[in-house]
Amino acid sequence: MSLAKAVVTGTVYRTPEKRFTQNNVAVSAFVMNIGEREETLIRVLSKRTALDEIVSSLNKGERVLVEGRLQTATVKTDDGSEKRIYEIDANSIEKMGEGAVSNSDFGTEEIVKFESDDVANELINEDEIPF
């Protein structure tokens, strides 16, 4: 279920990986920590092939800015209990700090952005969310 548009910054907590859905759609994902004093983890998903290059260049500990749709999902843990997780379906991802590509007009990092959502959300089915 999509909740709202979100723009968050944080550090890459788990390095990106690429997997494929049953329909052979490539999905890149990584986990970022948006908390300053305590861990607040959000999974970042990208089904946009144009974001593959920036996602694959991310390393653990790098600062990033992510813009997209905030979603929730419920997963079952090993002990059978349910846990709610938060995800962002990314429209744009921007590296921050050292190693970022600068834009001389604005002094900001390179941004890859897409306005339309071409691929249906196949990872979270609204029937699976209990509210």
Side-chain angles (χ1 to χ4, degrees):
M1 167 182 239
S2 179
L3 297 176
K5 181 176 180 179
V7 178
V8 296
T9 61
T11 57
V12 177
Y13 184 82
R14 190 176 305 141
T15 54
E17 58 184 41
K18 188 176 194 174
R19 294 188 181 182
F20 294 87
T21 65
Q22 292 176 345
N23 297 334
N24 205 27
V25 175
V27 178
S28 299
F30 65 95
V31 176
M32 67 185 289
N33 180 10
I34 62 169
E36 292 183 17
R37 292 195 172 98
E38 58 185 61
E39 285 183 352
T40 305
L41 303 178
I42 293 181
R43 183 175 15 188
V44 178
L45 304 171
S46 172
K47 294 171 241 156
R48 291 155 184 82
T49 55
L51 292 178
D52 282 349
E53 184 177 332
I54 193 162
V55 171
S56 64
S57 72
L58 296 175
N59 295 307
K60 186 175 180 175
E62 284 187 305
R63 301 261 318 145
V64 292
L65 180 140
V66 177
E67 181 272 325
R69 288 188 336 247
L70 181 63
Q71 305 173 131
T72 62
T74 304
V75 295
K76 289 194 179 205
T77 60
D78 293 336
D79 64 4
S81 63
E82 291 187 350
K83 178 181 177 183
R84 180 162 293 166
I85 59 170
Y86 296 92
E87 301 175 327
I88 293 181
D89 183 6
N91 290 326
S92 67
I93 299 171
E94 177 181 348
K95 281 188 179 184
M96 301 174 66
E98 292 182 48
V101 178
S102 295
N103 180 340
S104 59
D105 293 337
F106 301 103
T108 60
E109 293 79 16
E110 179 180 311
I111 299 175
V112 180
K113 185 169 185 166
F114 293 89
E115 295 299 325
S116 65
D117 186 15
D118 300 332
V119 180
N121 183 3
E122 295 175 312
L123 295 181
I124 300 176
N125 185 347
E126 289 189 17
D127 297 334
E128 297 172 358
I129 299 175
F131 58 90

